[in-house]
Amino acid sequence: MAEVRVLAAPRRDMRHGGELSAPLRPFGEALLVDVAVGGRLVLPGAWVQGEVLTRGEPLPPAPVRAADLRPPAVIVGTPEAAELHWGETVWRLDLGGAVAIPDAARADPHPLSRLRRLALVASGRRDEIGLTLWRDPAFEVPWQDVRLLPRAASWFELAQVPPGMRYADAEAAQGVGRARPRR
């Protein structure tokens, strides 16, 4: 049993001047959620399709604090001109055209079936997953997931995101999102 909490609906909660910023446009129809299993937060941030909310039993609303907003990262562009989009922040990836970008790292909200597998992996229940890919011992679920690839932290290192940087700090550093200057 998992509890899925909706943190934000981009078209409703993350627009500025009536528009979504370019990094958030692929997720305009998605939802930003976190997932807890047995009272333990296992997926602090995931972009999911709306179908995720059609299952299960609705719970009373719970407040969402600014610190709860931890959007996952995705990679856009080509190896010659790649960027790491972490929520509304944009970090250049200097891949020199030599590193292939896995399809799994691209912007694509998770359907319910994939979210279920991710929650099982994150809560240590690999044996209950029938698909070989998701049982790979090297598969990790870091919170800034880059589409939940193994060893995703290396993409953050390549993009030179300072170690330990929280998402709110990244917004403030780039002057985007909630840190965007008021007009």
Side-chain angles (χ1 to χ4, degrees):
M1 187 72 71
E3 183 176 315
V4 178
R5 178 172 67 148
V6 176
L7 301 176
R11 290 221 185 277
R12 181 190 71 202
D13 305 319
M14 303 174 95
R15 291 183 308 175
H16 303 286
E19 297 289 324
L20 280 176
S21 64
L24 291 180
R25 284 186 198 130
F27 305 104
E29 304 306 319
L31 300 170
L32 177 62
V33 303
D34 62 19
V35 180
V37 175
R40 179 172 69 96
L41 188 63
V42 295
L43 294 176
W47 292 113
V48 299
Q49 296 175 4
E51 65 161 346
V52 167
L53 297 185
T54 63
R55 300 290 178 90
E57 178 183 324
L59 298 172
V64 175
R65 301 164 301 139
D68 294 334
L69 294 177
R70 292 179 280 190
V74 295
I75 300 170
V76 299
T78 63
E80 295 77 23
E83 295 173 335
L84 178 79
H85 287 191
W86 184 21
E88 291 191 74
T89 70
V90 176
W91 305 81
R92 190 167 171 273
L93 275 171
D94 188 7
L95 304 179
V99 178
I101 300 170
D103 288 341
R106 304 285 185 176
D108 174 33
H110 298 300
L112 178 63
S113 59
R114 195 184 310 156
L115 183 66
R116 194 177 282 141
R117 290 193 297 268
L118 293 171
L120 286 170
V121 169
S123 57
R125 294 166 60 184
R126 286 177 196 280
D127 291 343
E128 297 174 42
I129 302 166
L131 297 177
T132 307
L133 170 66
W134 300 92
R135 295 183 62 154
D136 181 343
F139 185 81
E140 305 164 3
V141 187
W143 72 264
Q144 74 259 54
D145 62 16
V146 190
R147 306 309 308 148
L148 303 148
L149 286 171
R151 293 168 294 285
S154 61
W155 292 99
F156 276 68
E157 290 165 15
L158 281 170
Q160 298 182 5
V161 178
M165 178 173 260
R166 297 173 310 132
Y167 182 65
D169 299 331
E171 281 185 323
Q174 293 192 8
V176 297
R178 291 158 294 158
R180 185 182 306 249
R182 303 278 182 228
R183 292 181 190 190

